[in-house]
Amino acid sequence: MPVRAAGAESGTGIPKSPSEAMEELEHTCPQPRLTLTAPAPFADETSCQCQAPHEKLTIAQARLGTPVDRPVRVYADGIFDLFHAGHARALMQAKTLFPNSYLLVGVCSDDLTHKFKGFTVMNETERYEALRHCRYVDEVIRDAPWTLTPEFLEKHKIDFVAHDDIPYSSAGSDDVYKHIKEAGMFVPTQRTEGISTSDIITRIVRDYDVYARRNLQRGYTAKELNVSFINEKKYRFQNQVDKMKEKVKNVEERSKEFVYKVEEKSHDLIQKWEEKSREFIGNFLELFGPDGAWKQMFQERSGRMLQAFSPRQSPNSSPTRGRSPSRSPSPPWVINKTSPPSSPKAASASLSSMSEGDEDEK
């Protein structure tokens, strides 16, 4: 919004006093980012040119969300080398300290960092860009000072400084944030344990040979990796040995897989053979066993053959005369009255047979 200058005329045409004009000044501070479709801007591109007085806030006031017409401007600084999850969590805490906050992140340059801390893996341009693409950052301040001065705080209209509460000794001071804490502008954040830039560098140094060998395989030269001629030959030889080990391992795994398949198939064949053998033995016993069907069939056929060769006779001890006339055959001496002998010779023959029968019975 346009800012009315001091001494501007009112609606009645009477010029206002400078104090009345200052009361009507409105805050034009940049607002927090609402969309994340673009990286955060740099401070020199969108510097705060607000003409309204920047009233000092207490932490209690800021946590209530006041003032309503401008965000609370929170500042966090660091080196941010090898930007990782610990950095992101610290910035998230700084962003969410108050209901309506605008997070400014200061990043020190390479010259300042190498002077007071040491060599970095990423250069300053890479570190600036890493911060611009963090979702919690609203503005990035390049070439941030190592120690915060009142002029720097006033220039960027900073309300509070966010950092972990551990005393940070550097540049000849036991704690570079001591004066910020004494002014009541310091808000602590919590460090993330188990992750830091130094920890990541330590892992790389510890496994340097592994990374050097891997990058040689990817096409990097020994000069780019700062590897000597002897170490280069050693690493390449180790890579060849690893390739042979990998091939042997693959062959071994394939052999194990083949043996497993053969064992599985042989187990299935043995199981099927056992089932078939049990079935065969059972059928054999049913047919040729002690009580098998073959024995019964043989006994039946042998009985029939015996009956065919020697028909069964009536026992001799059974009385012939005691039988009923209806069942016993007629004795030879009974003369059929209906059929008399046709001749005297036939009659005499029948009488002789009768006499022979009587003699046999006696």
Side-chain angles (χ1 to χ4, degrees):
M1 295 179 64
V3 179
R4 182 177 297 176
E9 295 182 356
S10 63
T12 58
I14 301 174
K16 290 187 176 182
S17 62
S19 60
E20 291 177 345
M22 287 297 294
E23 290 179 357
E24 290 188 1
L25 290 176
E26 297 181 1
H27 284 281
T28 58
C29 298
Q31 297 298 317
R33 290 194 299 163
L34 299 179
T35 60
L36 301 177
T37 57
F42 290 115
D44 50 7
E45 296 175 354
T46 59
S47 58
C48 183
Q49 301 295 334
C50 181
Q51 299 298 325
H54 194 78
E55 299 177 357
K56 184 176 178 61
L57 298 175
T58 64
I59 295 178
Q61 290 174 335
R63 286 176 176 169
L64 291 176
T66 55
V68 295
D69 56 346
R70 72 169 180 88
V72 179
R73 294 172 68 84
V74 181
Y75 176 78
D77 60 354
I79 308 303
F80 301 104
D81 192 20
L82 297 176
F83 189 81
H84 52 74
H87 294 144
R89 285 178 58 86
L91 296 177
M92 178 187 69
Q93 295 177 60
K95 176 68 175 178
T96 57
L97 286 172
F98 308 110
N100 183 25
S101 60
Y102 185 88
L103 181 59
L104 301 93
V105 179
V107 184
C108 300
S109 64
D110 286 344
D111 293 338
L112 203 59
T113 304
H114 298 166
K115 178 180 178 181
F116 290 107
K117 190 170 184 178
F119 187 73
T120 58
V121 178
M122 301 169 64
N123 59 44
E124 59 183 29
T125 303
E126 294 169 337
R127 293 185 285 115
Y128 296 154
E129 289 298 322
L131 266 299
R132 292 186 69 195
H133 292 84
C134 179
R135 62 185 298 179
Y136 309 112
V137 179
D138 294 304
E139 186 175 312
V140 175
I141 301 177
R142 292 180 285 195
D143 193 13
W146 196 261
T147 303
L148 301 179
T149 62
E151 292 78 16
F152 179 82
L153 298 174
E154 177 63 27
K155 175 183 177 181
H156 296 282
K157 300 186 181 300
I158 295 171
D159 293 308
F160 300 100
V161 177
H163 200 273
D164 61 82
D165 203 13
I166 301 174
Y168 193 82
S169 59
S170 179
S173 173
D174 295 335
D175 189 2
V176 295
Y177 298 103
K178 183 179 179 181
H179 63 289
I180 303 295
K181 295 176 182 178
E182 292 174 350
M185 298 176 62
F186 186 84
V187 184
T189 58
Q190 298 295 325
R191 290 179 65 90
T192 302
E193 298 297 333
I195 183 68
S196 66
T197 301
S198 299
D199 181 54
I200 295 174
I201 295 174
T202 301
R203 298 179 201 174
I204 297 173
V205 172
R206 181 188 59 196
D207 301 324
Y208 170 76
D209 290 348
V210 177
Y211 293 115
R213 288 166 52 190
R214 185 180 66 182
N215 289 328
L216 282 173
Q217 284 182 322
R218 292 180 174 178
Y220 288 89
T221 63
K223 184 178 180 181
E224 291 173 333
L225 297 173
N226 196 24
V227 174
S228 64
F229 177 81
I230 296 176
N231 286 335
E232 179 189 3
K233 298 303 178 184
K234 181 182 73 172
Y235 293 151
R236 293 193 184 279
F237 177 74
Q238 289 175 344
N239 288 336
Q240 295 297 327
V241 172
D242 289 345
K243 287 182 180 180
M244 292 299 298
K245 288 182 179 179
E246 189 68 23
K247 289 182 180 179
V248 172
K249 184 179 178 180
N250 292 335
V251 172
E252 185 179 356
E253 290 179 354
R254 291 178 183 177
S255 301
K256 288 181 179 179
E257 185 178 357
F258 175 75
V259 171
Y260 175 76
K261 290 182 179 179
V262 171
E263 289 179 353
E264 187 177 8
K265 289 184 179 181
S266 61
H267 179 73
D268 293 341
L269 290 174
I270 291 172
Q271 188 175 2
K272 290 180 181 179
W273 182 83
E274 289 178 352
E275 293 176 357
K276 292 294 182 181
S277 62
R278 291 194 194 99
E279 183 180 355
F280 175 78
I281 293 171
N283 294 335
F284 183 83
L285 292 176
E286 288 181 1
L287 185 61
F288 298 102
D291 298 327
W294 177 262
K295 182 177 180 181
Q296 294 178 2
M297 183 177 65
F298 180 76
Q299 289 176 351
E300 291 178 358
R301 290 188 176 181
S302 61
R304 290 177 185 175
M305 291 177 65
L306 291 174
Q307 289 179 1
F309 287 113
S310 59
R312 199 166 90 184
Q313 298 178 356
S314 61
N316 295 330
S317 60
S318 60
T320 306
R321 294 181 181 180
R323 297 176 182 175
S324 61
S326 60
R327 293 182 180 178
S328 61
S330 300
W333 61 82
V334 178
I335 301 172
N336 193 355
K337 294 181 181 181
T338 58
S339 58
S342 59
S343 63
K345 290 182 179 181
S348 62
S350 62
L351 289 174
S352 61
S353 62
M354 289 173 59
S355 62
E356 289 176 2
D358 292 337
E359 289 177 0
D360 293 334
E361 288 178 359
K362 292 178 181 180

